[in-house]
Amino acid sequence: MNNSKNAQKRIRQKALTTARKNSGNENQAFNNKERIRKDPRLKALNLINPVEGTPRVPTLADIKTMYGAPATLAEVDADTKKANDAAIGQCHSLLHHAISIMGMSAYPQFLGYGYLTGLAQNGLIRAGCEMITDEMVEKGITLTTKGNNDPDTDKQAKLDRLNELITKINLLPTLRKAVSISKYYGGSLVYMDFDGIDTASENLLNPLILTKNELRGKKLRRLKVIEPYNLSPGQYNAADPLQEYYFKPRYWFVMGKAVDASRFLPPVQENELPTILRPAYNFFGIPLAQIVLDAVAHFTECREAEARLLTKFSLTVFKTNLNEQLFSGGDWSQIDNRVNNFVQYRSNDGVMLIDKESEDIDIKSTSLAGVKDIVSQAMEIVAAYFNEPVTKMWGLTPSGFNTGESDLNNHYDHIASQQEKQLRDQIEYVLKVLQVQEWGEIDNEITFTFNPLSEEKEESIATVNKIKAETQQIYISNGVISPDEGRECLKADPKSGFNNLNEESVPEEELSEEERELLGLTEKREVLSQDEKPPKEVE
C-alpha cells in the first residue's frame, strides 16, 4: 500500500516538475483568466482575443459593459444610472450587427480615465499634446466688425470694452487649459460663473437664457474648466434622431450636482466620434493621447532596442583552455585571474597580452546598418500621429532640398482648422454673453479672427494682395471694371485688409477748377482796384 502511495507521489511530483518547466504560457493564461473573471470590462473585451474557446458575438450585457458610460467621480443616484444604462439598449441591434460584420477584429474601446491619467505623465505624449495646445491659443484673437471699424465710432468702443472683459475673465488662458485637458481625456466643459449666483444653494437646472432680464444684475466673473472625470451625463434622448437632444445631454452631473447644459460653454471636444459610440466616451471624443499611444509605444520599443544594441555591437571572445574547469571541477579562480589580467593589459591602442600557444582572441561585431533608418521612421510615424511636421516635433533639419517651409505651412493650416472646430463656438458664445450683460442686446456684426500663426504667412498674404492690386489697376485703366467694382472686391476679400470699408468713406473724385466753379464749390473773391487795396503797414 505504501509502495503504491509512494509511486503515485513520485508520478505526481514528476508531473508537477514537467508542468513547471512549461508553465510560462499556462501561468500567463491562468492569470489572464483570473483578471478577466474579476473585471467585467476585461470579460467583455475577452471577445476579441479569448483566452480559451472561440470568439462569440457579444450579448446586450456585453454591449452595456463595453459601451456604457464610463465610471467617473460624478456619482449619481441609482435610478439615473439605470436610465443611462437602458439608453444604450437602443443601440444594441446596430452594434451587434456591426460587430458581427467586423469579425471580432475592430472593437473600439475607451481606455478609462485612470489609464489616461497615466498617459498624461508620459513625456513624449505630453510634449506633443502641449505643443499643439500652445499653438492653438498663443497668437490670440482680434475682435472685428463686419461694418465700420473706425476708432471714433461706437462699435470701436464696444470692441475695446469686450477686449477688456475677455482679458478680465482670462478667456484665452482658460480655453488653453480646456484644450489641454481634451487632448488627454477627450474633452472638457467650461462653466460660466456669474456674480449673484450661489452654486451651493441655487437650482442650476434652470437654463441660462441670453436675455437682458435673465442677466440683469449678473456679471460673468470667471470661467472654470471642469475635467470629464468629474462629469456624468444627465438625461439624453437615445431613441429618436430627429430630436434636439439625441445623444446630447440636457444637463450634466458635476460631482453629483445637476447643472443645465446652457450654463456651460459648448463642449471642447477632441476627435468627435460617431453617435453610437458617444456614451462609451462620456459624450466627448477620442483623446489624442489614446490615438498616439500605439505609435509612441512602438517608437519607445525601437529606441530601447537601439540602446541595447549599442552595448552588444562588439563582443570580444577570449579563447583559452577550460578543460579542467569544465570537466574536472577545477578551480575557476585561475581563470578569473587570467581574465582580469587580460583586461588590465588590454588598451584602446589595440594591445592585448595572451599566451602564444594556448590562447586566442576573436572580435565579433554586429552591423548597425539600417538601425538609424528604423528609429527615424518610428519618429516620423509619431509626428504623423500628432499631425506635427518632423522639423517641429523633433527639431530635426530636413534632408535633401526640402527647407521644411511647406511642411510648416501645412501644419499651420491644420492648427487653424483645429481652432475653428474646437474654439470658434466657445469664443462666440462668450462674446454674446458679455454683450447682453453690458448692453442688453447682441450685435451680430461683432466677430473675431484668429491671429495668423506665422509672420511668413503675413508676408505671403501681403505679396498676394500686391499682385491683386496691380491686376485691379490694369482692369480699371482698360475700362474692364470701375473703381467702385474694384472697391467692392476689396470689401469682399477677407484677407485684403480693407474688408471693413463702408459706403460713407468713399473718397471724392478730384474735380478741375472749372468743374468746381460750375458746381459752386469755389469761394467767391472780389476784385479790388489799386486804390481800394489796403495800404502796407509802415514799420
Side-chain angles (χ1 to χ4, degrees):
M1 191 72 176
N2 291 333
N3 292 336
S4 176
K5 287 184 177 180
N6 291 334
Q8 292 178 0
K9 185 176 181 180
R10 284 194 301 272
I11 292 173
R12 253 192 336 265
Q13 288 177 344
K14 185 176 180 180
L16 287 173
T17 302
T18 304
R20 288 192 184 99
K21 292 180 180 179
N22 303 314
S23 62
N25 293 334
E26 294 178 3
N27 288 338
Q28 182 66 35
F30 176 78
N31 292 334
N32 285 341
K33 285 190 288 186
E34 284 297 304
R35 290 173 58 229
I36 290 169
R37 183 178 64 82
K38 296 177 180 179
D39 191 334
R41 247 178 214 283
L42 291 177
K43 183 177 180 181
L45 281 176
N46 185 42
L47 298 171
I48 309 172
N49 297 308
V51 174
E52 58 183 7
T54 58
R56 61 182 176 83
V57 176
T59 64
L60 177 58
D62 295 326
I63 295 294
K64 288 183 177 180
T65 302
M66 296 176 67
Y67 301 109
T72 68
L73 300 179
E75 296 183 359
V76 296
D77 57 89
D79 292 337
T80 302
K81 288 183 179 179
K82 290 180 181 179
N84 286 342
D85 288 343
I88 197 64
Q90 304 289 344
C91 303
H92 169 249
S93 60
L94 181 56
L95 284 169
H96 186 284
H97 180 68
I99 292 171
S100 300
I101 293 176
M102 288 189 295
M104 307 299 160
S105 61
Y107 279 79
Q109 179 65 34
F110 181 58
L111 294 179
Y113 290 123
Y115 193 91
L116 293 173
T117 301
L119 294 184
Q121 302 176 67
N122 183 290
L124 185 54
I125 291 178
R126 190 167 189 85
C129 291
E130 294 300 317
M131 180 183 297
I132 298 174
T133 302
D134 289 337
E135 291 175 333
M136 289 179 64
V137 298
E138 65 181 353
K139 295 298 184 179
I141 62 174
T142 299
L143 298 184
T144 60
T145 62
K146 299 176 183 177
N148 189 13
N149 205 22
D150 193 328
D152 295 332
T153 63
D154 293 338
K155 286 188 178 179
Q156 183 58 45
K158 286 186 176 181
L159 296 182
D160 294 339
R161 177 57 178 165
L162 289 174
N163 276 315
E164 179 183 344
L165 291 174
I166 63 176
T167 301
K168 182 179 179 180
I169 62 175
N170 292 322
L171 174 60
L172 292 181
T174 303
L175 290 179
R176 189 231 173 271
K177 181 179 179 181
V179 171
S180 176
I181 290 174
S182 73
K183 301 294 181 188
Y184 301 118
Y185 298 109
S188 61
L189 290 178
V190 180
Y191 174 72
M192 295 181 290
D193 189 9
F194 289 88
D195 288 329
I197 295 181
D198 186 3
T199 58
S201 60
E202 188 160 339
N203 183 10
L204 298 181
L205 267 178
N206 295 327
L208 180 67
I209 304 174
L210 294 185
T211 62
K212 184 177 182 180
N213 293 333
E214 176 72 16
L215 297 182
R216 179 175 297 168
K218 301 173 184 176
K219 298 290 185 180
L220 182 59
R221 61 180 177 183
R222 66 164 185 159
L223 300 171
K224 173 64 177 176
V225 180
I226 310 296
E227 295 85 353
Y229 49 77
N230 289 324
L231 294 164
S232 184
Q235 181 185 13
Y236 63 93
N237 183 295
D240 188 357
L242 301 177
Q243 294 297 319
E244 177 184 0
Y245 290 97
Y246 179 67
F247 278 90
K248 179 182 178 182
R250 291 175 177 266
Y251 55 89
W252 294 83
F253 290 100
V254 183
M255 297 301 287
K257 185 177 183 63
V259 182
D260 191 81
S262 63
R263 296 183 178 272
F264 299 98
L265 298 185
V268 178
Q269 187 163 292
E270 188 79 13
N271 301 303
E272 188 172 355
L273 281 160
T275 302
I276 196 172
L277 295 177
R278 296 192 68 193
Y281 288 77
N282 209 19
F283 289 85
F284 294 108
I286 306 177
L288 181 60
Q290 179 173 331
I291 291 177
V292 303
L293 176 59
D294 180 71
V296 171
H298 281 84
F299 166 71
T300 302
E301 184 179 357
C302 291
R303 179 176 55 83
E304 292 175 348
E306 180 188 34
R308 289 194 302 269
L309 189 60
L310 289 176
T311 63
K312 300 176 182 179
F313 80 99
S314 180
L315 176 65
T316 301
V317 180
F318 180 54
K319 302 178 181 180
T320 187
N321 189 357
L322 297 176
N323 287 332
E324 183 179 353
Q325 284 73 25
L326 292 176
F327 304 108
S328 303
D331 186 10
W332 281 87
S333 61
Q334 295 181 5
I335 298 298
D336 292 338
N337 293 334
R338 180 67 188 94
V339 172
N340 291 333
N341 181 268
F342 167 76
V343 174
Q344 180 180 358
Y345 282 93
R346 178 185 177 183
S347 72
N348 291 331
D349 295 328
V351 177
M352 296 181 184
L353 186 61
I354 62 174
D355 186 85
K356 179 180 179 181
E357 301 295 335
S358 61
E359 296 177 340
D360 192 10
I361 291 294
D362 189 12
I363 304 296
K364 302 292 185 181
S365 298
T366 302
S367 175
L368 299 180
V371 174
K372 179 182 177 182
D373 295 334
I374 295 174
V375 176
S376 298
Q377 186 180 43
M379 295 172 67
E380 292 174 0
I381 293 175
V382 172
Y385 270 59
F386 277 109
N387 281 305
E388 291 273 356
V390 178
T391 54
K392 195 172 184 65
M393 179 76 189
W394 297 103
L396 299 178
T397 303
S399 57
F401 297 99
N402 181 20
T403 62
E405 183 177 353
S406 60
D407 291 341
L408 285 176
N409 289 336
N410 293 334
H411 169 65
Y412 288 138
D413 290 340
H414 169 69
I415 295 297
S417 69
Q418 293 300 303
Q419 289 176 329
E420 293 294 330
K421 287 196 296 185
Q422 297 189 34
L423 298 177
R424 166 69 64 178
D425 293 341
Q426 290 78 4
I427 297 176
E428 286 184 346
Y429 194 80
V430 170
L431 291 178
K432 291 178 181 178
V433 171
L434 294 177
Q435 289 182 68
V436 172
Q437 78 171 29
E438 290 294 311
W439 303 293
E441 59 181 1
I442 297 174
D443 188 343
N444 292 323
E445 291 188 348
I446 293 180
T447 183
F448 74 96
T449 58
F450 292 100
N451 294 331
L453 297 172
S454 65
E455 295 181 359
E456 291 78 12
K457 194 167 184 179
E458 290 181 345
E459 293 176 1
S460 64
I461 291 175
T463 302
V464 172
N465 285 338
K466 181 180 179 182
I467 296 174
K468 290 179 180 178
E470 293 173 350
T471 304
Q472 281 194 12
Q473 184 178 8
I474 294 174
Y475 287 153
I476 294 173
S477 300
N478 294 331
V480 177
I481 62 174
S482 66
D484 289 340
E485 291 172 330
R487 180 184 176 84
E488 290 298 323
C489 290
L490 285 177
K491 291 171 60 178
D493 187 356
K495 296 182 179 180
S496 68
F498 297 95
N499 57 323
N500 60 340
L501 295 174
N502 60 8
E503 301 298 334
E504 297 178 357
S505 58
V506 178
E508 294 183 2
E509 296 182 5
E510 293 187 3
L511 302 177
S512 64
E513 188 68 24
E514 181 180 358
E515 291 173 335
R516 292 178 61 84
E517 289 180 0
L518 291 174
L519 295 174
L521 298 178
T522 56
E523 296 180 358
K524 293 183 179 180
R525 292 179 296 176
E526 295 182 359
V527 180
L528 301 178
S529 62
Q530 189 69 25
D531 298 335
E532 293 176 334
K533 292 181 179 179
K536 296 182 179 179
E537 295 184 0
V538 180
E539 295 182 357

